[in-house]
Each structure stands twice: as structure tokens, then as C-alpha cells.
Amino acid sequence: MLKKYLDNAITDLQTLIDITNKDIENIKKGEHVPIFEQVATKEKLVETFEAKKRQIDQYITKKVSKNKGIPLNQILDEVERAYLDQLKNKLLELKEVNKRFARLVVSVGTFYSSLLEKIVPTEMDGYETVIKQSASFLEIKG
């Protein structure tokens, strides 16, 4: 049973990694619409992964409570330990992919913000951002 939970969780993580890698490629190409279209899919995968993780935690907790005093690596068989290692490695891989994606998102966001600031200069007035001067080139002259 634990192997099934772990295998399903690993599959979810791999799918998240694949989608995020596609998002990285899309952001590099300037294709932002597919990224936003994947958000719901990614959120659903995270939810299902969390549910599977809870099942894994419950299963391991039951095994440990039945075998008090015995280390976890002796309670689990070799295949279960290998699946747990694979789960850990997939989590670390997802973390690295998400870091790369986050760096790109921040870079693109900063670029667009600076571009907007050059087009429509603003300044802070208390807690509000207000247009600093009239952006005359945006006005329609008739």
C-alpha cells in the first residue's frame, strides 16, 4: 500500500516538474498565456500531492507505532526505502525548478514594471501610486 501511495505522489511531482519546465520555456519565448492556463492544473496537482502525502504519513505513523523502538529504516523494506528516496529527490528537483521559474518571473515582472514606469511615470503619495506627470504621448490630439 505504501508503495502505491509513494508511486502516485512521485507521479504528481514529476507532472509538476514537467509543467513548470514548460512554463520556463514559455516565459523565455514570451508566451505568457499558456503559463496562466496551467495555474489551475498545478494547483490541483499540489492538492492531490498533499492528500497523498497525508496518506503516506498516516501509513508510516501506523507502522512505526506498531513497531515501537525499531528505526524506520528497519521497519520499511528495501523497495519502500527506495521509493521514499525517490520522493525526496523529486521534491528537491521540484524545488530547484521552482527557483528557476521564480527568478524568471521576478525578472520579467521587474522588466515590465520598469517599462511601464518609463511610459507612465508615477510616484508614491502616501500609500497610493499616482501619475507623476501627464503622459502627453498617450493623449489623442484631434
Side-chain angles (χ1 to χ4, degrees), residues 16-50:
L16 279 167
I17 290 166
D18 293 342
I19 291 171
T20 305
N21 279 325
K22 286 178 190 172
D23 288 348
I24 289 170
E25 291 308 311
N26 284 330
I27 204 167
K28 287 178 180 179
K29 294 176 192 173
E31 297 174 1
H32 306 297
V33 173
I35 296 169
F36 294 114
E37 290 173 349
Q38 292 291 349
V39 170
T41 303
K42 288 170 84 173
E43 287 173 347
K44 183 68 176 161
L45 278 167
V46 168
E47 287 176 22
T48 60
F49 171 77
E50 288 173 344

PDB file of all heavy atoms in Angstrom, residues 16-50:
ATOM      1  N   LEU A  16       4.256  17.980 -12.038  1.00  0.00           N
ATOM      2  CA  LEU A  16       4.504  19.377 -11.659  1.00  0.00           C
ATOM      3  C   LEU A  16       5.837  19.869 -12.213  1.00  0.00           C
ATOM      4  O   LEU A  16       5.936  21.003 -12.705  1.00  0.00           O
ATOM      5  CB  LEU A  16       4.493  19.531 -10.134  1.00  0.00           C
ATOM      6  CG  LEU A  16       3.133  19.636  -9.474  1.00  0.00           C
ATOM      7  CD1 LEU A  16       3.247  19.462  -7.960  1.00  0.00           C
ATOM      8  CD2 LEU A  16       2.490  20.967  -9.797  1.00  0.00           C
ATOM      9  N   ILE A  17       6.851  19.040 -12.154  1.00  0.00           N
ATOM     10  CA  ILE A  17       8.171  19.398 -12.686  1.00  0.00           C
ATOM     11  C   ILE A  17       8.070  19.631 -14.193  1.00  0.00           C
ATOM     12  O   ILE A  17       8.588  20.627 -14.715  1.00  0.00           O
ATOM     13  CB  ILE A  17       9.209  18.299 -12.358  1.00  0.00           C
ATOM     14  CG1 ILE A  17       9.502  18.293 -10.849  1.00  0.00           C
ATOM     15  CG2 ILE A  17      10.494  18.489 -13.169  1.00  0.00           C
ATOM     16  CD1 ILE A  17      10.244  17.061 -10.361  1.00  0.00           C
ATOM     17  N   ASP A  18       7.390  18.725 -14.893  1.00  0.00           N
ATOM     18  CA  ASP A  18       7.246  18.852 -16.347  1.00  0.00           C
ATOM     19  C   ASP A  18       6.498  20.125 -16.729  1.00  0.00           C
ATOM     20  O   ASP A  18       6.911  20.852 -17.644  1.00  0.00           O
ATOM     21  CB  ASP A  18       6.524  17.627 -16.923  1.00  0.00           C
ATOM     22  CG  ASP A  18       7.346  16.344 -16.805  1.00  0.00           C
ATOM     23  OD1 ASP A  18       8.571  16.425 -16.595  1.00  0.00           O
ATOM     24  OD2 ASP A  18       6.741  15.253 -16.912  1.00  0.00           O
ATOM     25  N   ILE A  19       5.408  20.411 -16.029  1.00  0.00           N
ATOM     26  CA  ILE A  19       4.626  21.622 -16.324  1.00  0.00           C
ATOM     27  C   ILE A  19       5.456  22.872 -16.055  1.00  0.00           C
ATOM     28  O   ILE A  19       5.461  23.820 -16.839  1.00  0.00           O
ATOM     29  CB  ILE A  19       3.313  21.652 -15.515  1.00  0.00           C
ATOM     30  CG1 ILE A  19       2.366  20.565 -16.005  1.00  0.00           C
ATOM     31  CG2 ILE A  19       2.638  23.018 -15.606  1.00  0.00           C
ATOM     32  CD1 ILE A  19       1.133  20.371 -15.126  1.00  0.00           C
ATOM     33  N   THR A  20       6.179  22.875 -14.954  1.00  0.00           N
ATOM     34  CA  THR A  20       6.990  24.040 -14.599  1.00  0.00           C
ATOM     35  C   THR A  20       8.121  24.232 -15.610  1.00  0.00           C
ATOM     36  O   THR A  20       8.441  25.366 -15.977  1.00  0.00           O
ATOM     37  CB  THR A  20       7.529  23.916 -13.161  1.00  0.00           C
ATOM     38  OG1 THR A  20       6.426  23.695 -12.269  1.00  0.00           O
ATOM     39  CG2 THR A  20       8.258  25.176 -12.736  1.00  0.00           C
ATOM     40  N   ASN A  21       8.715  23.143 -16.083  1.00  0.00           N
ATOM     41  CA  ASN A  21       9.735  23.260 -17.125  1.00  0.00           C
ATOM     42  C   ASN A  21       9.137  23.840 -18.405  1.00  0.00           C
ATOM     43  O   ASN A  21       9.777  24.660 -19.075  1.00  0.00           O
ATOM     44  CB  ASN A  21      10.398  21.910 -17.403  1.00  0.00           C
ATOM     45  CG  ASN A  21      11.473  21.579 -16.392  1.00  0.00           C
ATOM     46  OD1 ASN A  21      12.189  22.457 -15.916  1.00  0.00           O
ATOM     47  ND2 ASN A  21      11.596  20.314 -16.054  1.00  0.00           N
ATOM     48  N   LYS A  22       7.913  23.436 -18.744  1.00  0.00           N
ATOM     49  CA  LYS A  22       7.235  24.019 -19.906  1.00  0.00           C
ATOM     50  C   LYS A  22       6.971  25.506 -19.673  1.00  0.00           C
ATOM     51  O   LYS A  22       7.109  26.322 -20.592  1.00  0.00           O
ATOM     52  CB  LYS A  22       5.918  23.299 -20.192  1.00  0.00           C
ATOM     53  CG  LYS A  22       6.081  21.943 -20.811  1.00  0.00           C
ATOM     54  CD  LYS A  22       4.738  21.271 -21.027  1.00  0.00           C
ATOM     55  CE  LYS A  22       4.927  19.825 -21.424  1.00  0.00           C
ATOM     56  NZ  LYS A  22       3.662  19.077 -21.457  1.00  0.00           N
ATOM     57  N   ASP A  23       6.597  25.851 -18.445  1.00  0.00           N
ATOM     58  CA  ASP A  23       6.376  27.263 -18.104  1.00  0.00           C
ATOM     59  C   ASP A  23       7.656  28.075 -18.282  1.00  0.00           C
ATOM     60  O   ASP A  23       7.627  29.209 -18.762  1.00  0.00           O
ATOM     61  CB  ASP A  23       5.864  27.407 -16.668  1.00  0.00           C
ATOM     62  CG  ASP A  23       4.430  26.959 -16.489  1.00  0.00           C
ATOM     63  OD1 ASP A  23       3.726  26.746 -17.504  1.00  0.00           O
ATOM     64  OD2 ASP A  23       4.005  26.805 -15.326  1.00  0.00           O
ATOM     65  N   ILE A  24       8.785  27.488 -17.897  1.00  0.00           N
ATOM     66  CA  ILE A  24      10.072  28.171 -18.056  1.00  0.00           C
ATOM     67  C   ILE A  24      10.356  28.415 -19.534  1.00  0.00           C
ATOM     68  O   ILE A  24      10.765  29.518 -19.924  1.00  0.00           O
ATOM     69  CB  ILE A  24      11.209  27.353 -17.390  1.00  0.00           C
ATOM     70  CG1 ILE A  24      11.073  27.418 -15.862  1.00  0.00           C
ATOM     71  CG2 ILE A  24      12.585  27.849 -17.842  1.00  0.00           C
ATOM     72  CD1 ILE A  24      11.980  26.470 -15.115  1.00  0.00           C
ATOM     73  N   GLU A  25      10.122  27.413 -20.354  1.00  0.00           N
ATOM     74  CA  GLU A  25      10.329  27.580 -21.799  1.00  0.00           C
ATOM     75  C   GLU A  25       9.382  28.632 -22.360  1.00  0.00           C
ATOM     76  O   GLU A  25       9.782  29.454 -23.190  1.00  0.00           O
ATOM     77  CB  GLU A  25      10.162  26.246 -22.524  1.00  0.00           C
ATOM     78  CG  GLU A  25      11.260  25.258 -22.222  1.00  0.00           C
ATOM     79  CD  GLU A  25      12.655  25.796 -22.431  1.00  0.00           C
ATOM     80  OE1 GLU A  25      12.909  26.388 -23.507  1.00  0.00           O
ATOM     81  OE2 GLU A  25      13.500  25.658 -21.522  1.00  0.00           O
ATOM     82  N   ASN A  26       8.128  28.609 -21.923  1.00  0.00           N
ATOM     83  CA  ASN A  26       7.152  29.597 -22.405  1.00  0.00           C
ATOM     84  C   ASN A  26       7.519  31.015 -21.998  1.00  0.00           C
ATOM     85  O   ASN A  26       7.374  31.945 -22.785  1.00  0.00           O
ATOM     86  CB  ASN A  26       5.741  29.241 -21.923  1.00  0.00           C
ATOM     87  CG  ASN A  26       5.142  28.090 -22.699  1.00  0.00           C
ATOM     88  OD1 ASN A  26       5.452  27.891 -23.875  1.00  0.00           O
ATOM     89  ND2 ASN A  26       4.299  27.325 -22.059  1.00  0.00           N
ATOM     90  N   ILE A  27       7.997  31.191 -20.780  1.00  0.00           N
ATOM     91  CA  ILE A  27       8.347  32.539 -20.331  1.00  0.00           C
ATOM     92  C   ILE A  27       9.569  33.039 -21.099  1.00  0.00           C
ATOM     93  O   ILE A  27       9.667  34.223 -21.414  1.00  0.00           O
ATOM     94  CB  ILE A  27       8.549  32.598 -18.803  1.00  0.00           C
ATOM     95  CG1 ILE A  27       8.316  34.021 -18.290  1.00  0.00           C
ATOM     96  CG2 ILE A  27       9.910  32.140 -18.372  1.00  0.00           C
ATOM     97  CD1 ILE A  27       8.175  34.116 -16.794  1.00  0.00           C
ATOM     98  N   LYS A  28      10.476  32.140 -21.439  1.00  0.00           N
ATOM     99  CA  LYS A  28      11.640  32.533 -22.239  1.00  0.00           C
ATOM    100  C   LYS A  28      11.219  32.961 -23.640  1.00  0.00           C
ATOM    101  O   LYS A  28      11.853  33.831 -24.233  1.00  0.00           O
ATOM    102  CB  LYS A  28      12.643  31.379 -22.328  1.00  0.00           C
ATOM    103  CG  LYS A  28      13.414  31.131 -21.051  1.00  0.00           C
ATOM    104  CD  LYS A  28      14.349  29.947 -21.226  1.00  0.00           C
ATOM    105  CE  LYS A  28      15.148  29.668 -19.982  1.00  0.00           C
ATOM    106  NZ  LYS A  28      16.040  28.497 -20.172  1.00  0.00           N
ATOM    107  N   LYS A  29      10.170  32.352 -24.169  1.00  0.00           N
ATOM    108  CA  LYS A  29       9.667  32.689 -25.505  1.00  0.00           C
ATOM    109  C   LYS A  29       8.732  33.897 -25.468  1.00  0.00           C
ATOM    110  O   LYS A  29       8.309  34.379 -26.510  1.00  0.00           O
ATOM    111  CB  LYS A  29       8.894  31.512 -26.097  1.00  0.00           C
ATOM    112  CG  LYS A  29       9.727  30.298 -26.400  1.00  0.00           C
ATOM    113  CD  LYS A  29       8.808  29.185 -26.892  1.00  0.00           C
ATOM    114  CE  LYS A  29       9.500  27.854 -26.939  1.00  0.00           C
ATOM    115  NZ  LYS A  29       8.559  26.771 -27.259  1.00  0.00           N
ATOM    116  N   GLY A  30       8.366  34.336 -24.277  1.00  0.00           N
ATOM    117  CA  GLY A  30       7.428  35.444 -24.148  1.00  0.00           C
ATOM    118  C   GLY A  30       5.984  35.012 -24.317  1.00  0.00           C
ATOM    119  O   GLY A  30       5.106  35.839 -24.535  1.00  0.00           O
ATOM    120  N   GLU A  31       5.722  33.728 -24.206  1.00  0.00           N
ATOM    121  CA  GLU A  31       4.369  33.190 -24.337  1.00  0.00           C
ATOM    122  C   GLU A  31       3.786  33.004 -22.932  1.00  0.00           C
ATOM    123  O   GLU A  31       3.948  31.950 -22.317  1.00  0.00           O
ATOM    124  CB  GLU A  31       4.398  31.866 -25.102  1.00  0.00           C
ATOM    125  CG  GLU A  31       4.895  32.022 -26.521  1.00  0.00           C
ATOM    126  CD  GLU A  31       5.071  30.701 -27.249  1.00  0.00           C
ATOM    127  OE1 GLU A  31       4.794  29.634 -26.666  1.00  0.00           O
ATOM    128  OE2 GLU A  31       5.508  30.745 -28.409  1.00  0.00           O
ATOM    129  N   HIS A  32       3.107  34.031 -22.455  1.00  0.00           N
ATOM    130  CA  HIS A  32       2.650  34.034 -21.072  1.00  0.00           C
ATOM    131  C   HIS A  32       1.273  33.417 -20.879  1.00  0.00           C
ATOM    132  O   HIS A  32       0.950  32.949 -19.788  1.00  0.00           O
ATOM    133  CB  HIS A  32       2.691  35.456 -20.511  1.00  0.00           C
ATOM    134  CG  HIS A  32       4.036  36.083 -20.669  1.00  0.00           C
ATOM    135  ND1 HIS A  32       5.158  35.592 -20.057  1.00  0.00           N
ATOM    136  CD2 HIS A  32       4.452  37.142 -21.400  1.00  0.00           C
ATOM    137  CE1 HIS A  32       6.202  36.324 -20.389  1.00  0.00           C
ATOM    138  NE2 HIS A  32       5.807  37.268 -21.208  1.00  0.00           N
ATOM    139  N   VAL A  33       0.446  33.394 -21.910  1.00  0.00           N
ATOM    140  CA  VAL A  33      -0.913  32.855 -21.788  1.00  0.00           C
ATOM    141  C   VAL A  33      -0.894  31.385 -21.356  1.00  0.00           C
ATOM    142  O   VAL A  33      -1.629  31.002 -20.433  1.00  0.00           O
ATOM    143  CB  VAL A  33      -1.707  33.066 -23.098  1.00  0.00           C
ATOM    144  CG1 VAL A  33      -3.051  32.361 -23.036  1.00  0.00           C
ATOM    145  CG2 VAL A  33      -1.891  34.558 -23.369  1.00  0.00           C
ATOM    146  N   PRO A  34      -0.056  30.524 -21.966  1.00  0.00           N
ATOM    147  CA  PRO A  34      -0.049  29.119 -21.520  1.00  0.00           C
ATOM    148  C   PRO A  34       0.334  28.960 -20.050  1.00  0.00           C
ATOM    149  O   PRO A  34      -0.133  28.033 -19.385  1.00  0.00           O
ATOM    150  CB  PRO A  34       0.994  28.455 -22.429  1.00  0.00           C
ATOM    151  CG  PRO A  34       1.123  29.339 -23.613  1.00  0.00           C
ATOM    152  CD  PRO A  34       0.817  30.725 -23.128  1.00  0.00           C
ATOM    153  N   ILE A  35       1.152  29.861 -19.551  1.00  0.00           N
ATOM    154  CA  ILE A  35       1.557  29.791 -18.139  1.00  0.00           C
ATOM    155  C   ILE A  35       0.341  29.991 -17.250  1.00  0.00           C
ATOM    156  O   ILE A  35       0.117  29.242 -16.300  1.00  0.00           O
ATOM    157  CB  ILE A  35       2.651  30.842 -17.833  1.00  0.00           C
ATOM    158  CG1 ILE A  35       3.913  30.523 -18.628  1.00  0.00           C
ATOM    159  CG2 ILE A  35       2.948  30.889 -16.337  1.00  0.00           C
ATOM    160  CD1 ILE A  35       4.953  31.616 -18.616  1.00  0.00           C
ATOM    161  N   PHE A  36      -0.463  31.018 -17.566  1.00  0.00           N
ATOM    162  CA  PHE A  36      -1.648  31.289 -16.760  1.00  0.00           C
ATOM    163  C   PHE A  36      -2.682  30.173 -16.902  1.00  0.00           C
ATOM    164  O   PHE A  36      -3.412  29.879 -15.954  1.00  0.00           O
ATOM    165  CB  PHE A  36      -2.256  32.638 -17.132  1.00  0.00           C
ATOM    166  CG  PHE A  36      -1.358  33.797 -16.782  1.00  0.00           C
ATOM    167  CD1 PHE A  36      -0.800  34.595 -17.773  1.00  0.00           C
ATOM    168  CD2 PHE A  36      -1.055  34.079 -15.462  1.00  0.00           C
ATOM    169  CE1 PHE A  36       0.034  35.658 -17.453  1.00  0.00           C
ATOM    170  CE2 PHE A  36      -0.225  35.137 -15.122  1.00  0.00           C
ATOM    171  CZ  PHE A  36       0.324  35.926 -16.121  1.00  0.00           C
ATOM    172  N   GLU A  37      -2.731  29.558 -18.071  1.00  0.00           N
ATOM    173  CA  GLU A  37      -3.682  28.458 -18.285  1.00  0.00           C
ATOM    174  C   GLU A  37      -3.326  27.232 -17.459  1.00  0.00           C
ATOM    175  O   GLU A  37      -4.193  26.416 -17.153  1.00  0.00           O
ATOM    176  CB  GLU A  37      -3.729  28.094 -19.772  1.00  0.00           C
ATOM    177  CG  GLU A  37      -4.386  29.163 -20.630  1.00  0.00           C
ATOM    178  CD  GLU A  37      -4.284  28.886 -22.119  1.00  0.00           C
ATOM    179  OE1 GLU A  37      -3.526  27.978 -22.534  1.00  0.00           O
ATOM    180  OE2 GLU A  37      -4.966  29.599 -22.889  1.00  0.00           O
ATOM    181  N   GLN A  38      -2.059  27.081 -17.083  1.00  0.00           N
ATOM    182  CA  GLN A  38      -1.610  25.914 -16.314  1.00  0.00           C
ATOM    183  C   GLN A  38      -1.771  26.074 -14.804  1.00  0.00           C
ATOM    184  O   GLN A  38      -1.611  25.115 -14.064  1.00  0.00           O
ATOM    185  CB  GLN A  38      -0.128  25.624 -16.619  1.00  0.00           C
ATOM    186  CG  GLN A  38       0.129  25.153 -18.015  1.00  0.00           C
ATOM    187  CD  GLN A  38      -0.413  23.754 -18.283  1.00  0.00           C
ATOM    188  OE1 GLN A  38      -0.807  23.027 -17.386  1.00  0.00           O
ATOM    189  NE2 GLN A  38      -0.437  23.376 -19.541  1.00  0.00           N
ATOM    190  N   VAL A  39      -2.094  27.270 -14.356  1.00  0.00           N
ATOM    191  CA  VAL A  39      -2.161  27.525 -12.914  1.00  0.00           C
ATOM    192  C   VAL A  39      -3.157  26.601 -12.217  1.00  0.00           C
ATOM    193  O   VAL A  39      -2.836  25.991 -11.193  1.00  0.00           O
ATOM    194  CB  VAL A  39      -2.491  29.011 -12.627  1.00  0.00           C
ATOM    195  CG1 VAL A  39      -2.795  29.235 -11.158  1.00  0.00           C
ATOM    196  CG2 VAL A  39      -1.338  29.902 -13.070  1.00  0.00           C
ATOM    197  N   ALA A  40      -4.353  26.465 -12.760  1.00  0.00           N
ATOM    198  CA  ALA A  40      -5.368  25.612 -12.133  1.00  0.00           C
ATOM    199  C   ALA A  40      -4.912  24.160 -12.085  1.00  0.00           C
ATOM    200  O   ALA A  40      -5.109  23.468 -11.068  1.00  0.00           O
ATOM    201  CB  ALA A  40      -6.696  25.735 -12.876  1.00  0.00           C
ATOM    202  N   THR A  41      -4.270  23.699 -13.145  1.00  0.00           N
ATOM    203  CA  THR A  41      -3.767  22.330 -13.183  1.00  0.00           C
ATOM    204  C   THR A  41      -2.709  22.116 -12.108  1.00  0.00           C
ATOM    205  O   THR A  41      -2.728  21.108 -11.392  1.00  0.00           O
ATOM    206  CB  THR A  41      -3.164  22.018 -14.573  1.00  0.00           C
ATOM    207  OG1 THR A  41      -4.159  22.239 -15.567  1.00  0.00           O
ATOM    208  CG2 THR A  41      -2.658  20.598 -14.656  1.00  0.00           C
ATOM    209  N   LYS A  42      -1.802  23.084 -11.987  1.00  0.00           N
ATOM    210  CA  LYS A  42      -0.752  22.973 -10.979  1.00  0.00           C
ATOM    211  C   LYS A  42      -1.337  23.001  -9.562  1.00  0.00           C
ATOM    212  O   LYS A  42      -0.901  22.230  -8.692  1.00  0.00           O
ATOM    213  CB  LYS A  42       0.278  24.085 -11.162  1.00  0.00           C
ATOM    214  CG  LYS A  42       1.152  23.884 -12.395  1.00  0.00           C
ATOM    215  CD  LYS A  42       2.000  25.093 -12.713  1.00  0.00           C
ATOM    216  CE  LYS A  42       3.256  25.122 -11.936  1.00  0.00           C
ATOM    217  NZ  LYS A  42       4.173  26.212 -12.363  1.00  0.00           N
ATOM    218  N   GLU A  43      -2.310  23.860  -9.331  1.00  0.00           N
ATOM    219  CA  GLU A  43      -2.943  23.926  -8.007  1.00  0.00           C
ATOM    220  C   GLU A  43      -3.606  22.598  -7.660  1.00  0.00           C
ATOM    221  O   GLU A  43      -3.501  22.119  -6.521  1.00  0.00           O
ATOM    222  CB  GLU A  43      -3.958  25.060  -7.960  1.00  0.00           C
ATOM    223  CG  GLU A  43      -3.331  26.438  -7.921  1.00  0.00           C
ATOM    224  CD  GLU A  43      -4.337  27.571  -8.034  1.00  0.00           C
ATOM    225  OE1 GLU A  43      -5.514  27.319  -8.396  1.00  0.00           O
ATOM    226  OE2 GLU A  43      -3.944  28.727  -7.775  1.00  0.00           O
ATOM    227  N   LYS A  44      -4.284  21.984  -8.628  1.00  0.00           N
ATOM    228  CA  LYS A  44      -4.954  20.696  -8.399  1.00  0.00           C
ATOM    229  C   LYS A  44      -3.917  19.608  -8.102  1.00  0.00           C
ATOM    230  O   LYS A  44      -4.118  18.784  -7.209  1.00  0.00           O
ATOM    231  CB  LYS A  44      -5.803  20.336  -9.625  1.00  0.00           C
ATOM    232  CG  LYS A  44      -6.580  19.073  -9.471  1.00  0.00           C
ATOM    233  CD  LYS A  44      -7.661  19.219  -8.440  1.00  0.00           C
ATOM    234  CE  LYS A  44      -8.487  17.950  -8.374  1.00  0.00           C
ATOM    235  NZ  LYS A  44      -9.246  17.844  -7.151  1.00  0.00           N
ATOM    236  N   LEU A  45      -2.812  19.616  -8.840  1.00  0.00           N
ATOM    237  CA  LEU A  45      -1.751  18.634  -8.587  1.00  0.00           C
ATOM    238  C   LEU A  45      -1.157  18.793  -7.189  1.00  0.00           C
ATOM    239  O   LEU A  45      -0.859  17.800  -6.528  1.00  0.00           O
ATOM    240  CB  LEU A  45      -0.647  18.766  -9.637  1.00  0.00           C
ATOM    241  CG  LEU A  45      -0.903  18.065 -10.954  1.00  0.00           C
ATOM    242  CD1 LEU A  45       0.097  18.518 -12.005  1.00  0.00           C
ATOM    243  CD2 LEU A  45      -0.842  16.557 -10.783  1.00  0.00           C
ATOM    244  N   VAL A  46      -0.984  20.019  -6.752  1.00  0.00           N
ATOM    245  CA  VAL A  46      -0.455  20.256  -5.400  1.00  0.00           C
ATOM    246  C   VAL A  46      -1.429  19.708  -4.366  1.00  0.00           C
ATOM    247  O   VAL A  46      -1.017  19.053  -3.395  1.00  0.00           O
ATOM    248  CB  VAL A  46      -0.164  21.756  -5.173  1.00  0.00           C
ATOM    249  CG1 VAL A  46       0.108  22.049  -3.708  1.00  0.00           C
ATOM    250  CG2 VAL A  46       1.009  22.204  -6.031  1.00  0.00           C
ATOM    251  N   GLU A  47      -2.724  19.956  -4.566  1.00  0.00           N
ATOM    252  CA  GLU A  47      -3.738  19.434  -3.634  1.00  0.00           C
ATOM    253  C   GLU A  47      -3.716  17.909  -3.584  1.00  0.00           C
ATOM    254  O   GLU A  47      -3.754  17.325  -2.497  1.00  0.00           O
ATOM    255  CB  GLU A  47      -5.135  19.900  -4.050  1.00  0.00           C
ATOM    256  CG  GLU A  47      -5.413  21.351  -3.786  1.00  0.00           C
ATOM    257  CD  GLU A  47      -6.784  21.774  -4.309  1.00  0.00           C
ATOM    258  OE1 GLU A  47      -7.666  20.910  -4.490  1.00  0.00           O
ATOM    259  OE2 GLU A  47      -6.959  22.983  -4.565  1.00  0.00           O
ATOM    260  N   THR A  48      -3.655  17.257  -4.750  1.00  0.00           N
ATOM    261  CA  THR A  48      -3.654  15.792  -4.749  1.00  0.00           C
ATOM    262  C   THR A  48      -2.362  15.254  -4.152  1.00  0.00           C
ATOM    263  O   THR A  48      -2.387  14.248  -3.447  1.00  0.00           O
ATOM    264  CB  THR A  48      -3.882  15.215  -6.166  1.00  0.00           C
ATOM    265  OG1 THR A  48      -2.858  15.659  -7.043  1.00  0.00           O
ATOM    266  CG2 THR A  48      -5.239  15.598  -6.711  1.00  0.00           C
ATOM    267  N   PHE A  49      -1.244  15.938  -4.414  1.00  0.00           N
ATOM    268  CA  PHE A  49       0.011  15.510  -3.801  1.00  0.00           C
ATOM    269  C   PHE A  49      -0.074  15.600  -2.282  1.00  0.00           C
ATOM    270  O   PHE A  49       0.356  14.683  -1.576  1.00  0.00           O
ATOM    271  CB  PHE A  49       1.199  16.343  -4.301  1.00  0.00           C
ATOM    272  CG  PHE A  49       2.451  16.068  -3.529  1.00  0.00           C
ATOM    273  CD1 PHE A  49       3.177  14.921  -3.757  1.00  0.00           C
ATOM    274  CD2 PHE A  49       2.887  16.940  -2.538  1.00  0.00           C
ATOM    275  CE1 PHE A  49       4.316  14.638  -3.022  1.00  0.00           C
ATOM    276  CE2 PHE A  49       4.015  16.667  -1.793  1.00  0.00           C
ATOM    277  CZ  PHE A  49       4.738  15.517  -2.040  1.00  0.00           C
ATOM    278  N   GLU A  50      -0.617  16.701  -1.783  1.00  0.00           N
ATOM    279  CA  GLU A  50      -0.735  16.866  -0.326  1.00  0.00           C
ATOM    280  C   GLU A  50      -1.609  15.777   0.286  1.00  0.00           C
ATOM    281  O   GLU A  50      -1.305  15.271   1.375  1.00  0.00           O
ATOM    282  CB  GLU A  50      -1.280  18.251   0.007  1.00  0.00           C
ATOM    283  CG  GLU A  50      -0.264  19.354  -0.241  1.00  0.00           C
ATOM    284  CD  GLU A  50      -0.837  20.757  -0.070  1.00  0.00           C
ATOM    285  OE1 GLU A  50      -2.081  20.919  -0.048  1.00  0.00           O
ATOM    286  OE2 GLU A  50      -0.027  21.701   0.037  1.00  0.00           O
TER     287      GLU A  50
END
